[in-house]
Amino acid sequence: MKSVVVAMSGFLAAASAMGQTVNFDTDTPGTLPPAWEQGSTGKGNPRWSVRQDSSAPSAPNVLQQSGSGTFPWCVLRGSSIENGFVEVKFKPLEGREDQAGGIVWRWKDGDNYYVARANALENNVSLYYTANGRRHTLKYVDAPVPRNVWHTLRVEFAQSQIRVALDGKTYIDLKDIHISGAGAVGLWTKADSVTSFDDFSYGPAK
């Protein structure tokens, strides 16, 4: 991991915050990075592993989900943020049912967390909360999400306020109080999505 200064905008800060970035470049290809935990909300057999990808924003490695499940997730062990930001670069590759890339935060366990995702099949950005293993939709917004292209998904959250941006444009900005308190941060896909992730950044609000 390395420290980076990430600009915080809007309700989160009038200044900047110190965060962490994970780029998977020191992890062994073909394995799940030891700092991460994988699973699925619902049924399935997710497979998160490090892959080499010369197109990665910070080559040579990415973290890729190539299995399947209802909602595969992969969270960073030991992370705990209540108010802050999470950002990742992702590339949707394949999937007949879905081609999604997402971020989770305030993750309590595999059945309780927030998730924001972008979908290349549907060309939209969505915000959900998952409670007791059931996903609830908060908002859908149409957005261009071409396949086989690297995108940046960012979520900023402070108390009840949540802001979701794709490729630098804010698509969702609302308040929700279903999941409070600190929780882990991580990544998310849906169904048979094959998606690569790189440059996972996160940090607290200032």
Side-chain angles (χ1 to χ4, degrees):
M1 294 185 180
K2 59 182 180 180
S3 294
V4 295
V5 176
V6 182
M8 304 285 285
S9 61
F11 62 87
L12 277 186
S16 61
M18 184 68 71
Q20 299 290 323
T21 297
V22 182
N23 59 24
F24 311 107
D25 291 339
T26 60
D27 295 303
T28 304
T31 67
L32 176 70
W36 294 72
E37 175 184 350
Q38 68 175 339
S40 179
T41 303
K43 299 179 180 179
N45 295 293
R47 185 173 187 272
W48 296 82
S49 61
V50 175
R51 302 289 181 90
Q52 292 186 326
D53 184 345
S54 61
S55 77
S58 58
N61 290 349
V62 300
L63 181 63
Q64 185 180 105
Q65 202 297 119
S66 58
S68 63
T70 308
F71 302 118
W73 49 260
C74 192
V75 297
L76 185 61
R77 290 194 186 100
S79 59
S80 181
I81 300 175
E82 180 176 6
N83 302 308
F85 74 94
V86 188
E87 179 179 299
V88 74
K89 295 179 174 66
F90 74 98
K91 180 166 69 171
L93 299 171
E94 300 176 13
R96 291 186 177 182
E97 184 176 345
D98 262 286
Q99 295 177 9
I103 289 171
V104 301
W105 69 99
R106 293 184 185 166
W107 188 92
K108 316 299 185 182
D109 54 41
D111 290 332
N112 298 277
Y113 54 85
Y114 277 113
V115 57
R117 70 100 173 105
N119 193 312
L121 279 184
E122 299 176 4
N123 279 306
N124 60 24
V125 174
S126 304
L127 173 64
Y128 311 93
Y129 73 92
T130 298
N132 300 317
R134 184 176 178 182
R135 189 184 65 162
H136 303 266
T137 301
L138 291 172
K139 192 168 186 178
Y140 276 95
V141 179
D142 291 339
V145 191
R147 186 171 64 91
N148 284 323
V149 173
W150 283 101
H151 302 278
T152 300
L153 183 64
R154 181 181 177 90
V155 178
E156 299 174 349
F157 46 99
Q159 306 304 329
S160 63
Q161 193 76 41
I162 302 171
R163 180 173 293 169
V164 183
L166 178 68
D167 296 331
K169 180 179 178 179
T170 298
Y171 285 92
I172 297 174
D173 190 354
L174 55 73
K175 292 184 177 181
D176 186 78
I177 59 172
H178 283 96
I179 301 177
S180 61
V185 295
L187 303 169
W188 183 97
T189 66
K190 181 184 176 185
D192 61 346
S193 301
V194 178
T195 308
S196 292
F197 298 87
D198 198 12
D199 294 347
F200 178 80
S201 302
Y202 63 98
K206 291 293 185 179

